[in-house]
Amino acid sequence: MKIGSALLNFYINGSIHVALSCYALMHLTFHMFQIPADESSALFVFFGTIVGYNFVKYDALVRVQRIAMRIQLKFIAALSLFAFVMVGYYFFQLQRITQVLSIIILAFTLLYTLPFFPNKKNARNWAGVKIYIVSLCWVGATVVLPVINAEIPITTDFFLKCLQRFILVFVLILIFEIIDVENDDPHLQTVPQQIGVKRTKILGLLLLLPFYCFEFLKINFDKNQLIVNLIMVSVLSLFIIYAKANRSRYYSSFFVEAVPIFWWLLVVFFDLRMIQL
């Protein structure tokens, strides 16, 4: 039991779970734009997510607070180093313009973590900014990057998917902020801190309406995607409704972060069902 718990904690704390969510969103983008699955770019984002998230989570602990590295943290450092090497390998398999885009996303990640100006806080501590920076990075990595790398024409569907993906990540972060509302620094000015938990839940539920309705505006309209999105929105709505302060860490770090994976599996299931029919 202890071994299973330790492995699960390493899986979550090492950012493998959130990286798998990004990987799932990459494959959803391939599906939605009918792009042949490009594992090089998908794995680039997967390993890049591990490096980026671990850097954001543990940089301050090691560099600023200078805490002693526990055994799990040493394993996470080794994982991050391996992921960094893999990021370098897959980086050179991307198109030149995609490489430039990935460097821009990296710059946002560094801005989010490191204080670039003397006596100034990093972007992570700028009041009310965190949720927008993270959402934009996810859109860039899981929509813009695969579409640009595939060199397909940019249509209105692209912008609709960018908005849809931004809303999804924004809503997921709202759930995290609701759960962490009592522990977050008041200076962060998270959404629940500004408007309250109840209004944050209402905001999250309202945002799911345009998220779902954008599907009707697509040029390449897909009826199956409407069914998949309806199931996914229903599940996400339940996560919003039942979110509350000091929920189990697994509620957000495992189950909520698994929503993109669940969404991808639904798409795969419906595709297999159509093939069988």
Side-chain angles (χ1 to χ4, degrees):
M1 189 68 179
K2 288 184 177 180
I3 295 176
S5 178
L7 289 174
L8 178 60
N9 287 332
F10 176 74
Y11 172 73
I12 294 172
N13 295 336
S15 304
I16 300 173
H17 190 53
V18 68
L20 189 57
S21 291
C22 280
Y23 180 85
L25 290 176
M26 284 285 288
H27 277 273
L28 280 167
T29 300
F30 296 150
H31 174 270
M32 292 166 180
F33 290 95
Q34 299 180 345
I35 300 171
D38 180 4
E39 284 301 314
S40 293
S41 60
L43 289 173
F44 172 78
V45 168
F46 174 80
F47 287 114
T49 302
I50 292 176
V51 174
Y53 265 75
N54 286 347
F55 181 71
V56 167
K57 287 191 291 187
Y58 302 113
D59 168 71
L61 291 176
V62 178
R63 180 177 57 86
V64 180
Q65 299 180 22
R66 300 183 185 279
I67 64 168
M69 292 184 71
R70 301 185 302 272
I71 292 178
Q72 187 184 87
L73 198 53
K74 289 179 179 179
F75 277 112
I76 290 173
L79 170 67
S80 302
L81 179 60
F82 171 75
F84 181 77
V85 172
M86 297 307 293
V87 166
Y89 172 75
Y90 287 112
F91 176 82
F92 291 104
Q93 298 188 38
L94 301 175
Q95 301 289 346
R96 181 61 59 84
I97 189 171
T98 318
Q99 291 177 343
V100 173
L101 175 62
S102 65
I103 292 173
I104 294 173
I105 296 173
L106 172 64
F108 270 96
T109 303
L110 293 176
L111 176 66
Y112 181 73
T113 308
L114 301 175
F116 276 81
F117 305 101
N119 302 318
K120 297 291 183 180
K121 294 181 178 180
N122 55 34
R124 191 180 190 184
N125 295 309
W126 294 351
V129 171
K130 167 188 171 182
I131 193 169
Y132 299 102
I133 293 179
V134 176
S135 299
L136 285 172
C137 285
W138 276 62
V139 171
T142 67
V143 181
V144 181
L145 188 148
V147 169
I148 296 298
N149 195 64
E151 297 182 316
I152 63 174
I154 301 297
T155 64
T156 55
D157 283 359
F158 169 77
F159 297 104
L160 286 172
K161 284 302 169 187
C162 284
L163 287 171
Q164 191 181 53
R165 194 66 52 84
F166 182 90
I167 291 172
L168 172 65
V169 179
F170 193 93
V171 170
L172 290 175
I173 298 174
L174 286 181
I175 299 174
F176 274 81
E177 292 188 345
I178 290 172
I179 294 170
D180 295 335
V181 66
E182 294 182 359
N183 299 318
D184 280 336
D185 187 332
H187 295 96
L188 286 176
Q189 289 295 292
T190 62
V191 177
Q193 288 174 340
Q194 294 183 67
I195 66 175
V197 170
K198 184 177 179 179
R199 290 181 178 177
T200 301
K201 289 186 177 185
I202 294 172
L203 173 63
L205 293 171
L206 289 175
L207 284 173
L208 293 180
L209 292 176
F211 172 86
Y212 184 74
C213 292
F214 282 155
E215 206 65 39
F216 291 96
L217 302 178
K218 283 181 58 181
I219 297 173
N220 298 315
F221 187 73
D222 185 354
K223 292 181 180 179
N224 285 331
Q225 193 66 45
L226 286 177
I227 300 172
V228 168
N229 285 5
L230 181 60
I231 297 172
M232 205 274 294
V233 164
S234 300
V235 171
L236 193 50
S237 297
L238 291 175
F239 277 123
I240 295 171
I241 292 169
Y242 288 102
K244 63 180 181 180
N246 294 322
R247 270 273 192 189
S248 165
R249 63 186 292 267
Y250 295 114
Y251 185 88
S252 56
S253 297
F254 184 79
F255 292 107
V256 173
E257 280 190 352
V259 167
I261 302 171
F262 174 68
W263 192 14
W264 178 38
L265 292 177
L266 279 175
V267 169
V268 172
F269 172 77
F270 271 83
D271 280 354
L272 291 175
R273 184 170 173 270
M274 289 300 297
I275 292 173
Q276 290 175 354
L277 294 175

